[in-house]
Amino acid sequence: MGRFDGRVAIITGAARGIGAGTAKRFAEEGAAVAVLDINEEQARETAAGLGAERAIGVACNVADAASVDAAVGRVVEELGGLHVLVNNAGITRDNLLFKLTEEDWDSVMNVHLKGAFLMSKAAQKTFVEQKYGKILNLSSISALGNRGQANYSAAKAGVQGFTRTLALELGPFGVNVNAIAPGFIATEMTDDTARRLKMDVDEFRRLNAEANPVKRVGYPEDIAAAAAFLCSDEASYITGQTLYVDGGGKI
């Protein structure tokens, strides 16, 4: 018997990386999974590869209210409900402040913060009505500040404030709201960062591994394991928290 038998989970930005890893973990633990991504073809491919009894790939622009409402409505109709929302969708537009454009700022804020807002607002309608729900937001260690990421850092810090506020508002209705702040995770996104910095991907990973106490980089499976716990009934007395999953960071 799986931890999420009978549950329906939405994971945004789940066509690849942390989102795909989380979708796989939820499917393995019995959930019906909706893989939401702006790239519908990739979302469908990822959903088909989960091995879940019920999984669908759905196109969704999390920064657009109409797209969000349509996607959540489709999930509830096709999968028969909604119990878990993981707000994972994210992008980077890194640059130093004097080079950062208004478009760079707005696009990152829209996906990370507005996206989490719109998805949570859409999901809470079902959660409050059924007096049950789990919302998990993806923050980052960059919320503490990171050179060249003023937009991303501000967005991820905002996610933590958003998480605590939703926990206060939705707790009385049986909804738990938490966040995970990953450290360096080996994904296509961080590989792209290495290439943008004109660094070898393996060397970039090695340097990041050396920067934390456990001396390794993280993988999507590390975040998925934490997500599975925080979205389970085992964590029903945990809300409003941000869990740093970063190999110990710079302690």
Side-chain angles (χ1 to χ4, degrees):
M1 186 172 179
R3 184 152 48 177
F4 294 106
D5 284 352
R7 304 296 192 202
V8 176
I10 285 177
I11 298 95
T12 68
R16 62 179 195 166
I18 290 173
T22 301
K24 185 174 186 296
R25 178 63 181 258
F26 277 66
E28 289 171 348
E29 298 211 27
V33 178
V35 174
L36 268 59
D37 202 275
I38 198 164
N39 187 317
E40 184 172 16
E41 183 179 353
Q42 287 187 7
R44 288 177 175 174
E45 289 177 1
T46 298
L50 293 178
E53 188 172 320
R54 292 188 300 153
I56 57 174
V58 180
C60 182
N61 176 359
V62 296
D64 179 80
S67 180
V68 165
D69 288 342
V72 172
R74 180 182 164 190
V75 172
V76 172
E77 181 179 354
E78 292 191 23
L79 296 182
L82 180 60
H83 306 91
V84 175
L85 168 65
V86 179
N87 286 313
N88 168 77
I91 61 171
T92 55
R93 297 290 185 271
D94 297 349
N95 228 324
L96 294 173
L97 180 62
F98 77 99
K99 293 181 179 180
L100 200 64
T101 67
E102 188 174 351
E103 183 181 359
D104 291 336
W105 180 272
D106 288 345
S107 59
V108 168
M109 288 295 173
N110 282 342
V111 174
H112 291 275
L113 267 181
K114 187 179 180 181
F117 158 66
L118 291 175
M119 288 297 306
S120 298
K121 188 176 181 181
Q124 64 87 32
K125 297 174 185 177
T126 298
F127 292 168
V128 168
E129 183 177 331
Q130 67 195 11
K131 297 292 191 293
Y132 181 93
K134 309 288 184 182
I135 298 175
L136 182 67
N137 300 314
L138 268 291
S139 180
S140 168
I141 58 168
S142 292
L144 304 176
N146 196 34
R147 179 179 171 83
Q149 289 194 315
N151 49 359
Y152 186 77
S153 296
K156 289 307 194 181
V159 164
Q160 295 190 25
F162 180 65
T163 296
R164 289 194 63 84
T165 300
L166 287 197
L168 290 169
E169 293 185 7
L170 299 178
F173 301 98
V175 182
N176 297 79
V177 187
N178 291 291
I180 290 175
F184 185 92
I185 306 298
T187 64
E188 295 94 333
M189 184 180 288
T190 52
D191 289 350
D192 287 342
T193 298
R195 286 185 280 268
R196 189 167 60 251
L197 295 172
K198 295 180 172 53
M199 292 183 65
D200 177 75
V201 169
D202 290 336
E203 177 66 4
F204 188 57
R205 291 185 180 186
R206 186 190 68 78
L207 290 172
N208 277 277
E210 287 300 313
N212 68 51
V214 301
K215 303 303 178 187
R216 74 168 177 89
V217 298
Y219 294 93
E221 293 80 7
D222 294 308
I223 306 305
F229 169 67
L230 287 173
C231 292
S232 74
D233 290 337
E234 297 167 72
S236 62
Y237 198 53
I238 301 172
T239 198
Q241 304 304 305
T242 297
L243 175 63
Y244 281 74
V245 183
D246 61 353
K250 296 181 180 179
I251 57 173

